[in-house]
Amino acid sequence: STQMVMAVLNSAFIYRKLTVARKGTSAILTHSPAREIFVDFAGDKLSYTDQASGEIIPVEVFVAVLPYSNYTFAMAVPSQKTEDFVFAITRCFRHLNGVPAILVPDNLKAAVIKTDRFEPSLNKVLEDLANHYSMALIPCRPYHPRDYVNKNIM
């Protein structure tokens, strides 16, 4: 009985020590060429002036990063709606002359309907796009910004 109590206390001590030791640490992510592409919209909107009317038109900036090479593709689109998101992704693939094996979107509404750590609800249009290109669709874990490669680029 005392041995069992000591074993439980010892395992609790080790668990606490490991948890404290792990706080603030992060892993080094390694990537393979053409394996994955990270896609998201940049934080701040940009705008341009229509030459004919003089109207200032706001745009969202779509950004895609190939993490192995840090090659970055950026494109301005009218909004973060699904159709603009899919259009930007297809233009990115055309620009790259190829498609990676895994598409990794952040948890934006155009990609993920409902976030969940284990089974997120994905946008059907984006699932169809991934199926069309024979690629996997794996969104980032919610609330884990370190999972995302080069967030400072995006």
Side-chain angles (χ1 to χ4, degrees):
S1 170
T2 16
Q3 289 177 338
M4 186 181 287
V5 170
M6 290 304 290
V8 169
L9 288 174
N10 191 29
S11 65
F13 173 76
I14 290 170
Y15 173 76
R16 193 168 308 143
K17 196 167 188 167
L18 286 174
T19 344
V20 169
R22 287 184 184 162
K23 284 188 178 178
T25 60
S26 59
I28 296 173
L29 301 175
T30 56
H31 303 282
S32 302
R35 182 169 185 268
E36 57 203 356
I37 188 165
F38 290 84
V39 295
D40 196 6
F41 285 100
D44 296 332
K45 283 187 174 189
L46 296 179
S47 60
Y48 68 93
T49 305
D50 186 327
Q51 294 291 330
S53 67
E55 178 185 1
I56 296 176
I57 300 171
V59 292
E60 297 283 348
V61 179
F62 168 84
V63 180
V65 177
L66 294 168
Y68 179 78
S69 63
N70 281 339
Y71 186 82
T72 305
F73 172 86
M75 175 182 182
V77 292
S79 70
Q80 288 191 18
K81 292 181 180 175
T82 304
E83 56 268 14
D84 293 326
F85 187 54
V86 169
F87 175 75
I89 291 171
T90 55
R91 291 298 296 262
C92 175
F93 293 162
R94 185 181 304 163
H95 173 76
L96 296 172
N97 289 323
V99 178
I102 303 170
L103 177 65
V104 185
D106 201 0
N107 287 291
L108 63 154
K109 293 285 185 195
V112 180
I113 308 262
K114 184 179 178 198
T115 59
D116 183 68
R117 184 175 179 178
F118 302 105
E119 286 293 327
S121 296
L122 302 173
N123 185 322
K124 180 74 173 125
V125 175
L126 203 59
E127 278 184 331
D128 291 342
L129 176 81
N131 288 334
H132 173 75
Y133 285 111
S134 300
M135 62 192 309
L137 178 61
I138 305 172
C140 287
R141 294 183 302 165
Y143 313 111
H144 285 82
R146 289 185 188 173
D147 287 358
Y148 220 73
V149 68
N150 298 331
K151 193 63 176 179
N152 57 347
I153 292 174
M154 298 182 147

